[in-house]
Amino acid sequence: MSSTTTLQKEGGPTGNPGDGQPSDGLKAGLKNRHLSMIAIGGVIGAGLFVGSGGGIAKAGPAILISYALVGAMVVFVMRMLGEMAAASPNSGSFSAYADRALGRWAGFSIGWLYWFFWVVVLAVEATAGAAILESWIPAVPQWAWALIVMAVLTATNLGSVASYGEFEFWFAGIKVVAIGAFVIVGMLAVFGVLPGSDNPGAGFAHLTDAGGFFPNGYGAVLTGVLMVVFSFMGSEIVTLAAGESENPRKAVTRATNSVIWRIGVFYLGSIFIVLTLLPWNDKSITEKGSYVAALDSIGIAHAGTIMEVIVLTAVLSCLNSGLYTASRMAFSLGERGDAPKAFAKVNKNGVPVAAILGSTVFGFVAVYFNYAFKDTVFNFLLNSSGAIALFVWLVICFTQLKMRGILVREAPEKLTVKMWLFPWLTWATAALIMFVIGYMFVDDANREVVTLSTLVAGVVVLVGVVLDFRRKKALQG
């Protein structure tokens, strides 16, 4: 049996990588510009705009180190994932690779956990978007806006993968342009050369003039890590989408190689601007939000409304990508026999309709729980999915450790992207992720999240192990 055939039968690509014609029924409807913008915008979530103020208040200017640590972790994880995805583009991405490298139970477990994470995110983002829209048009109740937003984006995903790509191209484009403009305008204001700016232009003085760079101690950096880590979730979406692109291998390679500057500019760059425009303990950062406060300090009119538009765009982008990601993971699970077979069926446009509708239905149910049982059922869903991002990254580390050996043995020519300093940097990244998870158990604010997430993950893994055992027993019998 050839190495290529082996990879195809045991969790590798279902078609010829790079030819844009996957044989699993999905169509290569994503253009290079779609993938490029999905890759760039995938690391920019609403959490960056909404949640950064809390991190600044906890850690002060040292929050930059928190962002740098988490950013480095994401860069390394994406490099590992890029190595596997470039060699074997697959709509199931890390779930399919875990299936191949660690065992059927691992692919089953991480696939369903990832699906669960994104369908809960659908409810969170739909509610957040509905709150903004209701503030603009109060005649329509918030629940109706949530319904409308979910319905519209479901329709675009049902149309074709190109519809998803086009919507995401524009959604991500607005985020990218907005942050790029913010960094450029902010930097001019920092040095006092922006015409008409209300900011005193203190240069870098605000990084140390309010209690030093570590005003709340060195330990606040770790607290900051816990606060910012979840805003990075989504960078791995491009590896799922690459399977439906014109040139999967090229798209994955480009996205992997560009992740460093994307995180550097969008996260570190924009937070750096906030911290140099205002003292970290300025009350407006927590009251208005870090970006609104920064824009107000420059003298930008209607800063709050501008940020509401950008946040709404980020929310819709996250919703759009969340539905796409959940449906493609469900499709991959269905293909491998780990989900209902209907999930693996596509229509004439190459769209997995049942997988999309199944994910949407759970999303609608979660939205209902958010309104009817916010403090009980929905709070449980939210907390029990909160740490799954870290579990996914950890599984990617262990999968890459095994997959490198498989690829070297069976198809070394496909190793066009390689993890740096293998295996030491992979092990170091896994250790850092495990440290963060362990630290969450002793942190009062995150203990419930990591405990419930671990319990849910344990149940799913147990189900996966039992099903895997029964399959093996049936084959032997």
Side-chain angles (χ1 to χ4, degrees), residues 27-58:
K27 290 190 176 181
L30 293 175
K31 302 181 184 298
N32 288 333
R33 66 182 178 88
H34 293 152
L35 262 293
S36 296
M37 197 56 75
I38 290 169
I40 294 172
V43 295
I44 309 171
L48 173 62
F49 301 107
V50 178
S52 55
I56 292 172
K58 286 288 186 181

Side-chain angles (χ1 to χ4, degrees), residues 354-428:
I356 292 174
L357 292 178
S359 302
T360 303
V361 166
F362 195 95
F364 276 123
V365 171
V367 169
Y368 169 73
F369 285 150
N370 192 19
Y371 287 106
F373 307 102
K374 184 179 181 66
D375 296 327
T376 53
V377 178
F378 186 74
N379 190 50
F380 170 79
L381 292 176
L382 199 60
N383 287 332
S384 61
S385 64
I388 286 175
L390 292 168
F391 298 159
V392 168
W393 294 344
L394 190 60
V395 167
I396 289 172
C397 292
F398 290 131
T399 300
Q400 191 261 338
L401 285 168
K402 291 290 295 289
M403 278 297 290
R404 169 65 75 89
I406 294 171
L407 288 167
V408 167
R409 184 172 64 252
E410 298 183 357
E413 72 281 359
K414 292 185 177 182
L415 276 170
T416 55
V417 176
K418 290 186 178 181
M419 176 58 182
W420 307 297
L421 300 177
F422 178 84
W424 311 112
L425 195 51
T426 300
W427 278 113

